[in-house]
Amino acid sequence: MQGAEALIYSFNMKLLRNLFKHLFNTEKDDNFLKIMGGVEIFIAKFLSILMIIVTLFAVYDLCLFLFQSLAVELISEPQGITKDSLFEAFGLLLNVLIALEILANITVYLKEHSVQYELVVITSLIAVARKIIIFDLEKKKAFDLIALSIAAFTLSTSYFLIRYLNQKSRHD
């Protein structure tokens, strides 16, 4: 058994030496860049699959909430749906939209191999809007709302600046 383990160890060490020699050969930077590109694509595809799973869970969570909470409230409550349930439904819906936006960011990265900053800022803006929509003044402080407002203003300004610069570069 020791002979087999030594043989496997020797083979693995030789394989690692060849890999490092291949990767760090300064005359062959293209090989390293190809490997890095392949790793980036693999990670982006893996993240896409994970985001699809997260999105499906978010849709499931939304549907389950709508069926269990809102349907039961409509049947049992004479005054209808409560404000808290409605805000929670909006929050869950925006969770789905955020997940879809993140998936769109990854998809664009796979197609163009570049990050679309406009999409990233829009996704962030949706996330902040979600926080503002479900914001509970009874449980949170005014400072928290001010911080969210500043974040929304900053992201909006960033979005319009990025959009302006993109349009200007297209026309030049």
Side-chain angles (χ1 to χ4, degrees), residues 17-83:
R17 270 194 303 273
N18 285 339
L19 178 65
F20 282 120
K21 187 175 155 183
H22 183 70
L23 284 177
F24 295 108
N25 185 352
T26 55
E27 297 170 2
K28 306 272 183 182
D29 285 342
D30 291 340
N31 292 335
F32 183 75
L33 292 175
K34 284 180 187 176
I35 291 170
M36 290 298 296
V39 169
E40 282 182 26
I41 290 170
F42 173 77
I43 291 171
K45 287 179 180 180
F46 182 71
L47 288 175
S48 293
I49 292 168
L50 289 179
M51 280 311 303
I52 289 169
I53 293 168
V54 167
T55 305
L56 290 173
F57 275 117
V59 169
Y60 172 77
D61 197 27
L62 174 64
C63 291
L64 190 66
F65 176 80
L66 289 175
F67 180 73
Q68 287 180 339
S69 297
L70 297 183
V72 169
E73 280 186 29
L74 282 174
I75 293 169
S76 65
E77 301 282 335
Q79 68 268 21
I81 301 169
T82 64
K83 177 182 76 166

Coordinates of all heavy atoms in Angstrom, one line a residue, residues 17-83:
R17 N 3.8 20.3 -10.7 CA 5.0 21.0 -11.2 C 4.8 21.4 -12.7 O 5.1 22.5 -13.1 CB 6.3 20.1 -11.1 CG 7.0 20.2 -9.8 CD 8.4 19.6 -9.9 NE 8.4 18.2 -10.3 CZ 8.3 17.2 -9.4 NH1 8.2 17.5 -8.1 NH2 8.3 16.0 -9.8
N18 N 4.2 20.5 -13.5 CA 3.9 20.8 -14.9 C 2.9 21.9 -15.0 O 3.0 22.7 -15.9 CB 3.5 19.5 -15.6 CG 4.6 18.6 -15.9 OD1 5.8 19.0 -15.9 ND2 4.3 17.3 -16.1
L19 N 1.9 21.8 -14.1 CA 0.8 22.8 -14.2 C 1.4 24.2 -13.9 O 1.2 25.2 -14.6 CB -0.3 22.5 -13.2 CG -1.4 23.5 -13.1 CD1 -2.2 23.6 -14.4 CD2 -2.3 23.2 -11.9
F20 N 2.2 24.3 -12.8 CA 2.8 25.6 -12.4 C 3.8 26.1 -13.5 O 3.9 27.2 -13.8 CB 3.5 25.5 -11.1 CG 2.6 25.6 -9.9 CD1 2.5 24.5 -9.0 CD2 1.7 26.7 -9.7 CE1 1.6 24.6 -7.9 CE2 0.9 26.8 -8.7 CZ 0.8 25.7 -7.8
K21 N 4.5 25.1 -14.0 CA 5.5 25.5 -15.1 C 4.7 26.0 -16.3 O 5.1 27.0 -16.9 CB 6.3 24.2 -15.5 CG 7.4 24.5 -16.5 CD 8.2 23.2 -16.6 CE 8.9 23.1 -18.0 NZ 9.5 21.8 -18.2
H22 N 3.6 25.4 -16.6 CA 2.8 25.8 -17.8 C 2.1 27.2 -17.5 O 2.1 28.1 -18.4 CB 1.7 24.8 -18.0 CG 0.9 25.0 -19.2 ND1 1.3 25.0 -20.5 CD2 -0.4 25.4 -19.3 CE1 0.3 25.3 -21.3 NE2 -0.7 25.5 -20.6
L23 N 1.6 27.4 -16.3 CA 0.9 28.6 -15.9 C 1.8 29.8 -15.8 O 1.5 30.9 -16.2 CB 0.1 28.4 -14.6 CG -1.1 27.7 -14.7 CD1 -1.7 27.5 -13.3 CD2 -2.1 28.3 -15.6
F24 N 3.0 29.6 -15.2 CA 3.8 30.7 -14.9 C 5.0 30.9 -15.8 O 6.0 31.6 -15.5 CB 4.3 30.6 -13.4 CG 3.2 30.7 -12.5 CD1 2.8 29.6 -11.8 CD2 2.5 31.9 -12.3 CE1 1.7 29.7 -10.9 CE2 1.5 32.0 -11.4 CZ 1.0 30.9 -10.7
N25 N 4.9 30.3 -17.0 CA 5.9 30.5 -18.0 C 5.7 31.9 -18.6 O 4.7 32.2 -19.2 CB 5.8 29.4 -19.1 CG 6.9 29.5 -20.2 OD1 7.7 30.5 -20.2 ND2 6.9 28.6 -21.1
T26 N 6.7 32.8 -18.4 CA 6.5 34.2 -18.7 C 6.4 34.4 -20.2 O 5.8 35.4 -20.7 CB 7.6 35.1 -18.2 OG1 8.8 34.6 -18.6 CG2 7.5 35.1 -16.7
E27 N 6.9 33.5 -21.0 CA 6.7 33.6 -22.4 C 5.4 33.2 -22.9 O 5.0 33.5 -24.1 CB 7.8 32.7 -23.1 CG 9.2 33.1 -22.8 CD 10.2 32.1 -23.2 OE1 9.8 31.1 -23.9 OE2 11.4 32.3 -23.0
K28 N 4.6 32.5 -22.1 CA 3.3 32.0 -22.5 C 2.2 32.6 -21.6 O 1.4 31.9 -21.0 CB 3.3 30.5 -22.3 CG 4.4 29.8 -23.0 CD 4.0 29.4 -24.4 CE 5.1 28.6 -25.0 NZ 4.9 28.3 -26.4
D29 N 2.1 34.0 -21.6 CA 1.1 34.6 -20.8 C -0.3 34.3 -21.4 O -1.3 34.4 -20.6 CB 1.3 36.1 -20.7 CG 2.4 36.5 -19.8 OD1 2.8 35.7 -18.9 OD2 2.9 37.6 -19.9
D30 N -0.4 34.1 -22.6 CA -1.7 33.8 -23.3 C -2.3 32.5 -22.6 O -3.5 32.5 -22.5 CB -1.5 33.6 -24.8 CG -1.2 34.9 -25.5 OD1 -1.5 35.9 -24.9 OD2 -0.7 34.8 -26.6
N31 N -1.5 31.5 -22.3 CA -2.0 30.3 -21.7 C -2.7 30.6 -20.3 O -3.8 30.2 -20.0 CB -0.9 29.3 -21.5 CG -0.4 28.7 -22.8 OD1 -1.1 28.7 -23.8 ND2 0.8 28.2 -22.7
F32 N -2.0 31.4 -19.6 CA -2.5 31.8 -18.3 C -3.8 32.6 -18.4 O -4.8 32.4 -17.7 CB -1.5 32.6 -17.5 CG -2.0 33.0 -16.1 CD1 -2.0 32.1 -15.1 CD2 -2.4 34.3 -15.8 CE1 -2.4 32.4 -13.8 CE2 -2.8 34.7 -14.6 CZ -2.8 33.7 -13.6
L33 N -3.9 33.5 -19.4 CA -5.1 34.3 -19.6 C -6.2 33.5 -20.1 O -7.4 33.7 -19.7 CB -4.8 35.5 -20.6 CG -3.8 36.6 -20.1 CD1 -3.5 37.5 -21.2 CD2 -4.4 37.3 -18.9
K34 N -5.9 32.5 -20.9 CA -7.0 31.6 -21.3 C -7.6 30.8 -20.2 O -8.8 30.6 -20.1 CB -6.5 30.6 -22.4 CG -6.3 31.2 -23.8 CD -5.7 30.2 -24.7 CE -5.4 30.8 -26.1 NZ -4.7 29.9 -27.0
I35 N -6.7 30.3 -19.3 CA -7.2 29.6 -18.1 C -8.0 30.5 -17.2 O -9.1 30.1 -16.7 CB -6.0 29.0 -17.4 CG1 -5.4 27.8 -18.2 CG2 -6.4 28.4 -16.0 CD1 -4.0 27.3 -17.7
M36 N -7.5 31.7 -17.0 CA -8.3 32.7 -16.2 C -9.6 33.0 -16.8 O -10.6 33.1 -16.1 CB -7.5 34.0 -16.0 CG -6.2 33.8 -15.1 SD -6.6 33.3 -13.5 CE -7.6 34.7 -12.9
G37 N -9.7 33.1 -18.1 CA -11.0 33.4 -18.8 C -11.9 32.2 -18.6 O -13.1 32.4 -18.3
G38 N -11.4 31.0 -18.7 CA -12.2 29.8 -18.5 C -12.7 29.7 -17.0 O -13.9 29.3 -16.8
V39 N -11.9 30.1 -16.1 CA -12.3 30.1 -14.7 C -13.4 31.1 -14.5 O -14.4 30.8 -13.8 CB -11.1 30.3 -13.7 CG1 -11.6 30.6 -12.3 CG2 -10.1 29.2 -13.8
E40 N -13.3 32.3 -15.0 CA -14.3 33.3 -14.9 C -15.6 32.9 -15.5 O -16.7 33.1 -14.9 CB -13.8 34.6 -15.7 CG -12.9 35.4 -14.9 CD -12.5 36.7 -15.7 OE1 -13.3 37.2 -16.5 OE2 -11.4 37.2 -15.5
I41 N -15.6 32.3 -16.7 CA -16.8 31.8 -17.3 C -17.4 30.7 -16.5 O -18.7 30.7 -16.3 CB -16.5 31.3 -18.8 CG1 -16.2 32.5 -19.6 CG2 -17.7 30.5 -19.3 CD1 -15.6 32.2 -21.0
F42 N -16.6 29.8 -16.0 CA -17.1 28.7 -15.1 C -17.8 29.3 -13.9 O -19.0 28.8 -13.6 CB -16.0 27.7 -14.7 CG -16.5 26.7 -13.7 CD1 -17.2 25.6 -14.1 CD2 -16.2 26.9 -12.3 CE1 -17.6 24.7 -13.1 CE2 -16.6 26.0 -11.4 CZ -17.3 24.9 -11.8
I43 N -17.2 30.2 -13.2 CA -17.8 30.8 -12.0 C -19.1 31.6 -12.4 O -20.1 31.5 -11.7 CB -16.8 31.8 -11.3 CG1 -15.7 30.9 -10.7 CG2 -17.5 32.6 -10.3 CD1 -14.5 31.7 -10.2
A44 N -19.1 32.3 -13.5 CA -20.3 33.0 -13.9 C -21.5 32.0 -14.2 O -22.6 32.3 -13.8 CB -20.0 33.9 -15.1
K45 N -21.1 30.9 -14.9 CA -22.2 29.9 -15.2 C -22.7 29.3 -13.9 O -23.9 29.1 -13.7 CB -21.6 28.9 -16.1 CG -21.5 29.4 -17.5 CD -20.9 28.3 -18.4 CE -20.8 28.8 -19.9 NZ -20.2 27.8 -20.8
F46 N -21.8 29.0 -12.9 CA -22.2 28.4 -11.7 C -23.1 29.4 -10.9 O -24.1 29.0 -10.3 CB -20.9 28.1 -10.9 CG -21.2 27.4 -9.5 CD1 -21.7 26.1 -9.5 CD2 -21.0 28.1 -8.4 CE1 -22.0 25.5 -8.3 CE2 -21.3 27.5 -7.1 CZ -21.8 26.2 -7.1
L47 N -22.7 30.7 -10.9 CA -23.5 31.7 -10.2 C -24.9 31.8 -10.9 O -25.9 32.1 -10.2 CB -22.8 33.0 -10.2 CG -21.6 33.2 -9.3 CD1 -20.9 34.5 -9.5 CD2 -22.0 33.0 -7.8
S48 N -24.9 31.7 -12.2 CA -26.2 31.7 -12.9 C -27.1 30.6 -12.4 O -28.3 30.8 -12.2 CB -26.0 31.6 -14.4 OG -25.3 32.6 -15.0
I49 N -26.6 29.4 -12.3 CA -27.4 28.3 -11.9 C -27.9 28.5 -10.4 O -29.0 28.3 -10.1 CB -26.6 27.0 -11.9 CG1 -26.3 26.6 -13.4 CG2 -27.3 25.8 -11.2 CD1 -25.3 25.5 -13.6
L50 N -27.0 29.1 -9.6 CA -27.4 29.4 -8.2 C -28.5 30.4 -8.2 O -29.4 30.3 -7.4 CB -26.2 29.8 -7.4 CG -25.2 28.8 -7.0 CD1 -24.0 29.4 -6.2 CD2 -25.8 27.6 -6.2
M51 N -28.3 31.5 -9.0 CA -29.3 32.5 -9.1 C -30.7 32.0 -9.6 O -31.7 32.5 -9.1 CB -28.9 33.7 -9.9 CG -27.9 34.6 -9.1 SD -28.5 35.1 -7.5 CE -30.0 35.9 -7.8
I52 N -30.7 31.1 -10.5 CA -31.9 30.5 -11.0 C -32.6 29.8 -9.8 O -33.8 29.9 -9.6 CB -31.7 29.5 -12.2 CG1 -31.3 30.3 -13.4 CG2 -32.9 28.7 -12.4 CD1 -30.8 29.5 -14.5
I53 N -31.8 29.0 -9.0 CA -32.4 28.3 -7.9 C -32.9 29.3 -6.8 O -34.0 29.2 -6.3 CB -31.3 27.4 -7.2 CG1 -31.0 26.3 -8.2 CG2 -31.8 26.9 -5.9 CD1 -29.7 25.5 -7.8
V54 N -32.1 30.4 -6.6 CA -32.6 31.4 -5.6 C -33.9 32.1 -6.1 O -34.8 32.3 -5.4 CB -31.5 32.5 -5.4 CG1 -32.0 33.7 -4.7 CG2 -30.3 31.9 -4.6
T55 N -33.9 32.4 -7.4 CA -35.1 33.0 -8.0 C -36.3 32.1 -7.9 O -37.4 32.6 -7.5 CB -34.9 33.4 -9.5 OG1 -33.7 34.2 -9.5 CG2 -36.0 34.1 -10.1
L56 N -36.1 30.8 -8.1 CA -37.3 29.9 -8.0 C -37.8 29.8 -6.6 O -39.0 29.8 -6.3 CB -36.9 28.5 -8.5 CG -36.7 28.4 -10.0 CD1 -36.1 27.0 -10.4 CD2 -38.0 28.7 -10.8
F57 N -36.8 29.8 -5.6 CA -37.2 29.8 -4.2 C -38.0 31.1 -3.9 O -38.9 31.1 -3.1 CB -36.0 29.6 -3.3 CG -35.7 28.2 -3.1 CD1 -34.5 27.7 -3.5 CD2 -36.6 27.3 -2.5 CE1 -34.1 26.4 -3.3 CE2 -36.3 26.0 -2.3 CZ -35.0 25.5 -2.7
A58 N -37.5 32.2 -4.4 CA -38.2 33.5 -4.1 C -39.6 33.5 -4.7 O -40.5 34.0 -4.1 CB -37.4 34.7 -4.7
V59 N -39.8 33.0 -5.9 CA -41.1 32.9 -6.5 C -42.0 31.9 -5.7 O -43.2 32.2 -5.4 CB -41.0 32.4 -8.0 CG1 -42.4 32.0 -8.5 CG2 -40.4 33.5 -8.8
Y60 N -41.4 30.8 -5.2 CA -42.2 29.9 -4.4 C -42.6 30.5 -3.1 O -43.7 30.4 -2.7 CB -41.3 28.6 -4.1 CG -41.9 27.7 -3.1 CD1 -43.0 26.8 -3.5 CD2 -41.5 27.7 -1.8 CE1 -43.5 26.0 -2.5 CE2 -42.0 26.8 -0.9 CZ -43.0 26.0 -1.2 OH -43.6 25.2 -0.3
D61 N -41.7 31.3 -2.5 CA -42.0 32.0 -1.2 C -43.1 33.0 -1.4 O -44.0 33.1 -0.6 CB -40.7 32.6 -0.7 CG -40.8 33.0 0.7 OD1 -41.5 32.4 1.5 OD2 -40.1 34.0 1.1
L62 N -43.0 33.7 -2.5 CA -44.1 34.7 -2.8 C -45.4 34.0 -3.0 O -46.4 34.5 -2.5 CB -43.7 35.5 -4.1 CG -44.7 36.5 -4.6 CD1 -45.0 37.6 -3.6 CD2 -44.3 37.0 -6.0
C63 N -45.4 33.0 -3.8 CA -46.7 32.3 -4.1 C -47.3 31.7 -2.8 O -48.5 31.7 -2.6 CB -46.5 31.2 -5.1 SG -46.2 31.8 -6.8
L64 N -46.4 31.1 -2.0 CA -46.9 30.5 -0.7 C -47.4 31.6 0.2 O -48.5 31.4 0.8 CB -45.7 29.8 -0.1 CG -46.0 28.9 1.1 CD1 -46.8 27.7 0.7 CD2 -44.7 28.4 1.8
F65 N -46.8 32.7 0.3 CA -47.3 33.8 1.1 C -48.6 34.3 0.6 O -49.5 34.5 1.4 CB -46.3 35.0 1.1 CG -46.8 36.1 1.9 CD1 -46.8 36.1 3.3 CD2 -47.3 37.2 1.2 CE1 -47.3 37.2 4.0 CE2 -47.8 38.3 1.9 CZ -47.8 38.3 3.3
L66 N -48.7 34.5 -0.7 CA -49.9 35.0 -1.3 C -51.1 34.1 -1.0 O -52.2 34.5 -0.7 CB -49.8 35.3 -2.8 CG -48.9 36.4 -3.2 CD1 -48.8 36.5 -4.7 CD2 -49.5 37.7 -2.7
F67 N -50.8 32.8 -1.2 CA -51.9 31.8 -1.0 C -52.2 31.7 0.5 O -53.4 31.8 0.9 CB -51.5 30.4 -1.5 CG -52.5 29.4 -1.3 CD1 -53.7 29.4 -2.1 CD2 -52.4 28.4 -0.3 CE1 -54.7 28.5 -1.9 CE2 -53.4 27.5 -0.1 CZ -54.5 27.5 -0.9
Q68 N -51.2 31.5 1.4 CA -51.5 31.3 2.8 C -52.0 32.5 3.5 O -53.0 32.5 4.2 CB -50.3 30.8 3.5 CG -49.9 29.4 3.2 CD -48.7 28.9 3.9 OE1 -47.9 29.7 4.3 NE2 -48.5 27.6 4.0
S69 N -51.3 33.6 3.4 CA -51.6 34.8 4.1 C -52.7 35.6 3.6 O -53.7 35.9 4.2 CB -50.4 35.7 4.3 OG -49.4 35.0 5.0
L70 N -52.6 36.0 2.3 CA -53.6 36.9 1.7 C -54.9 36.2 1.5 O -56.0 36.8 1.8 CB -53.0 37.5 0.4 CG -51.8 38.4 0.6 CD1 -51.4 39.0 -0.7 CD2 -51.9 39.5 1.6
A71 N -54.9 35.0 1.0 CA -56.1 34.3 0.8 C -56.9 34.1 2.1 O -58.1 34.2 2.2 CB -55.9 33.0 0.1
V72 N -56.1 33.7 3.1 CA -56.8 33.5 4.4 C -57.3 34.8 5.0 O -58.4 34.8 5.6 CB -55.7 32.8 5.4 CG1 -56.2 32.8 6.8 CG2 -55.4 31.4 4.9
E73 N -56.6 35.9 4.8 CA -57.0 37.1 5.3 C -58.3 37.6 4.6 O -59.2 38.2 5.2 CB -55.9 38.2 5.2 CG -54.9 38.2 6.3 CD -53.9 39.3 6.2 OE1 -54.3 40.4 5.7 OE2 -52.8 39.1 6.6
L74 N -58.3 37.4 3.3 CA -59.5 37.8 2.6 C -60.8 37.0 3.0 O -61.9 37.5 3.0 CB -59.3 37.6 1.1 CG -58.4 38.6 0.4 CD1 -58.2 38.2 -1.1 CD2 -59.1 40.0 0.4
I75 N -60.6 35.7 3.4 CA -61.7 34.9 3.8 C -62.1 35.2 5.2 O -63.3 35.4 5.5 CB -61.3 33.4 3.6 CG1 -61.2 33.1 2.1 CG2 -62.4 32.5 4.3 CD1 -60.6 31.7 1.9
S76 N -61.1 35.3 6.1 CA -61.4 35.5 7.5 C -61.6 36.9 8.0 O -62.3 37.1 9.0 CB -60.3 34.8 8.4 OG -59.1 35.5 8.2
E77 N -61.0 37.9 7.4 CA -61.0 39.3 7.8 C -62.1 40.0 7.0 O -62.0 40.1 5.8 CB -59.7 40.0 7.6 CG -58.5 39.3 8.4 CD -58.5 39.7 9.9 OE1 -59.1 40.7 10.2 OE2 -58.0 38.9 10.6
P78 N -63.1 40.6 7.7 CA -64.1 41.3 6.9 C -63.5 42.6 6.3 O -64.0 43.1 5.3 CB -65.2 41.6 8.0 CG -64.5 41.4 9.3 CD -63.3 40.5 9.1
Q79 N -62.5 43.2 7.0 CA -62.0 44.5 6.4 C -61.0 44.3 5.3 O -60.5 45.2 4.7 CB -61.4 45.3 7.5 CG -60.1 44.8 8.2 CD -60.4 43.9 9.4 OE1 -61.5 43.4 9.6 NE2 -59.4 43.7 10.2
G80 N -60.6 43.0 5.0 CA -59.7 42.8 3.9 C -58.3 42.6 4.3 O -58.0 42.3 5.5
I81 N -57.4 42.8 3.4 CA -56.0 42.6 3.6 C -55.4 43.7 4.5 O -55.7 44.9 4.3 CB -55.2 42.6 2.2 CG1 -55.8 41.5 1.4 CG2 -53.8 42.4 2.4 CD1 -55.4 41.6 -0.1
T82 N -54.5 43.3 5.4 CA -53.9 44.3 6.3 C -52.7 45.0 5.6 O -52.2 44.4 4.7 CB -53.4 43.6 7.6 OG1 -52.4 42.7 7.3 CG2 -54.5 42.9 8.4
K83 N -52.4 46.1 6.1 CA -51.3 46.9 5.6 C -50.0 46.1 5.7 O -49.2 46.1 4.7 CB -51.2 48.2 6.3 CG -50.0 49.1 5.9 CD -49.9 50.4 6.7 CE -49.3 50.0 8.0 NZ -48.9 51.1 8.8

